[in-house]
Amino acid sequence: MRGKRIPATQWERTCKDGNAIIAAMFALDMTSDVWDTPYCSFDNGYVDMHMFPLSAPVACPFEPGVAITLAYAEGMDHQPVPIDPRGALLKQVERAAALGYQVQVGTELEFYLLDPETGLPTIQGNQVYGINRMAELEHVLGPIREDLTAMGIPIEQSNPEYAAGQVEVNIRYDEAVLAADRIILFRAMVKQVAAKHGYLATFMAKPFIAESGSGFHTHYSLWKDGKNAFAHDGKINQTGLAFVAGLQNRMVEMSLAGSTTPNAYKRRQPYTFCPVNNSWGYDNRTVGLRVIEGGDSAVRVEKRDASADVNPYYLLACDIAAGLEGIENGSEPGPVTKGDAYADNPADMLPLTLDEAVAQAKNSTFMSEVYGQDRLDIAVKQSEREIEFVRQQVTAVETERYLRNL
């Protein structure tokens, strides 16, 4: 999340004229490194764009006198910025609307609360869902829930997750673009609230190799005329199963949308509750695509492979595009997995390294159409740069293992 702090005296002008900022903001990596891209380069002088507020600002409960809003971007020609990731999702939401559907998305993000000096948990032991552990963390999770809800991000619940210091916070489902916008704001604000209470909050996918990774689970349903188009008498119907089939058909080649760093693929291990294939099943946490049934309003498809650090606009855009494709083609999913999806499952394996995911994305017409070629080129290049950076490092583990023994 990047932008500017604007004095209240300048707010009216900002709403009218926008606020200029470098368009390469959409091509920066997480360290703020930048390189020439088709839209922003030394050849065109690294052009500006203008930010306009998406909504009225809301007060930050944890920082008196400060309010915040997200912005949309326009180029100097007053047209959408072609490398803005939000545009990829808007296109798919419009595609769904043309078919008569509104896309609803629920989001679950896992993250770690760590000591800011050591980068390690301040508590010990796995107490997933533990009531006493919840009480230990309430001094920081309580303000996270309350402050974010006050800022318009409806938090449903929180709980300790499957490792010391790991937690999950769930956001109430809503329209897809709003859901993605809330994720951007959520991650930034969680880090700020956590810092106020003496913690480093990290959405890194796999901060500790022997501990649980942090995932980003997405729950999808399509609605038409005020009713869940996936549901019939509390069960998933053919429309919902066609959406599952579309996700299943594209899940391998669109892996990059859900896991963009070498570290993220270290989550993808058997028996970690992170899927390793594109299997699907009913209320089964070993599969990649989990169908959840209940009342008609609760019927949905949960996709479980993404990591907590990804760009939500690209993730949701690819998932929705794949699901809609399944509906348009009348597709049917493969055999349902009724047991352990990690054990001898005929489903297609997901990429287990970023190198594999990048190769899939570069050869995918589907990815090019969903992202737009310039956006995909930027995303691929960012991941290739991460691959090369990590590959060039000598790690502490290598030094400890080899230096004195060889």
Side-chain angles (χ1 to χ4, degrees):
M1 187 171 176
R2 303 181 189 275
K4 293 184 178 181
R5 289 204 167 199
I6 302 168
T9 56
Q10 300 299 311
W11 184 247
E12 186 176 348
R13 180 189 60 79
T14 299
C15 292
K16 179 174 179 281
D17 299 330
N19 191 284
I21 195 169
I22 187 171
M25 187 177 71
F26 290 131
L28 298 177
D29 72 8
M30 82 290 295
T31 69
S32 298
D33 195 9
V34 67
W35 65 96
D36 278 9
T37 63
Y39 190 76
C40 305
S41 67
F42 284 106
D43 285 341
N44 68 12
Y46 278 92
V47 296
D48 262 351
M49 63 184 185
H50 278 83
M51 300 182 294
F52 293 87
L54 271 170
S55 62
V58 295
C60 296
F62 48 85
E63 192 174 359
V66 174
I68 191 167
T69 182
L70 294 181
Y72 69 91
E74 285 187 1
M76 304 307 287
D77 57 359
H78 301 293
Q79 297 302 308
V81 176
I83 60 171
D84 180 355
R86 198 167 183 268
L89 179 55
L90 287 168
K91 180 180 177 182
Q92 296 308 317
V93 168
E94 291 167 0
R95 175 183 172 190
L99 296 172
Y101 297 119
Q102 183 191 60
V103 186
Q104 296 282 319
V105 186
T107 55
E108 301 173 351
L109 272 84
E110 298 161 336
F111 57 95
Y112 276 84
L113 294 168
L114 305 173
D115 182 287
E117 297 298 324
T118 65
L120 298 173
T122 60
I123 50 182
Q124 302 299 314
N126 175 6
Q127 290 294 327
V128 63
Y129 301 118
I131 296 296
N132 291 338
R133 179 55 53 83
M134 292 182 199
E136 287 181 71
L137 294 171
E138 183 61 14
H139 67 286
V140 57
L141 282 179
I144 285 174
R145 292 193 310 270
E146 293 160 9
D147 289 353
L148 270 64
T149 297
M151 297 178 72
I153 302 174
I155 304 300
E156 288 194 316
Q157 58 208 13
S158 65
N159 60 270
E161 257 300 330
Y162 204 65
Q166 190 185 40
V167 297
E168 178 176 290
V169 176
N170 298 352
I171 304 172
R172 178 72 176 172
Y173 72 88
D174 215 314
E175 184 275 325
V177 178
L178 181 57
D181 289 342
R182 284 172 173 167
I183 289 297
I184 295 293
L185 189 59
F186 172 90
R187 288 190 302 209
M189 297 302 101
V190 162
K191 293 176 81 70
Q192 290 189 36
V193 176
K196 292 282 185 181
H197 293 272
Y199 289 91
L200 166 67
T202 180
F203 293 87
M204 180 180 177
K206 189 74 170 175
F208 310 108
I209 193 63
E211 302 294 342
S212 176
S214 291
F216 179 179
H217 298 169
T218 47
H219 295 247
Y220 294 100
S221 58
L222 299 184
W223 290 68
K224 179 180 285 190
D225 300 326
K227 295 181 180 180
N228 186 352
F230 284 1
H232 178 71
D233 293 337
K235 303 294 184 182
I236 194 165
N237 60 20
Q238 284 304 120
T239 300
L241 289 175
F243 193 89
V244 171
L247 287 171
Q248 194 174 40
N249 290 339
R250 296 295 187 181
M251 203 165 169
V252 172
E253 70 185 281
M254 66 184 189
S255 177
L256 186 67
S259 298
T260 60
T261 67
N263 174 263
Y265 289 83
K266 294 181 178 179
R267 283 183 62 242
R268 203 164 281 176
Q269 301 172 23
Y271 301 103
T272 61
F273 295 106
C274 177
V276 297
N277 55 43
N278 68 347
S279 56
W280 76 280
Y282 295 93
D283 197 16
N284 184 338
R285 285 181 169 84
T286 70
V287 298
L289 300 166
R290 175 177 172 238
V291 172
I292 301 168
E293 298 180 324
D296 274 3
S297 64
V299 175
R300 60 197 186 274
V301 178
E302 179 190 22
K303 185 165 175 285
R304 299 174 54 81
D305 64 319
S307 59
D309 56 359
V310 300
N311 187 316
Y313 300 113
Y314 289 146
L315 174 65
L316 269 60
C318 285
D319 289 353
I320 293 166
L324 292 177
E325 182 181 70
I327 292 172
E328 290 169 336
N329 294 339
S331 302
E332 295 185 4
V336 61
T337 297
K338 295 182 178 179
D340 181 358
Y342 295 116
D344 194 27
N345 194 294
D348 296 331
M349 291 295 294
L350 301 178
L352 298 180
T353 68
L354 182 56
D355 302 67
E356 295 176 60
V358 165
Q360 287 278 352
K362 290 172 76 170
N363 292 320
S364 171
T365 302
F366 171 83
M367 290 285 279
S368 177
E369 290 175 349
V370 175
Y371 274 60
Q373 192 59 52
D374 283 352
R375 295 189 191 101
L376 183 60
D377 288 346
I378 291 170
V380 164
K381 185 62 176 177
Q382 283 183 333
S383 288
E384 288 177 334
R385 285 160 62 90
E386 293 305 305
I387 291 168
E388 192 59 28
F389 177 81
V390 171
R391 187 174 285 148
Q392 290 178 1
Q393 306 308 306
V394 175
T395 67
V397 172
E398 292 171 282
T399 302
E400 181 179 349
R401 187 167 180 85
Y402 303 134
L403 185 70
R404 297 185 185 279
N405 293 324
L406 299 176

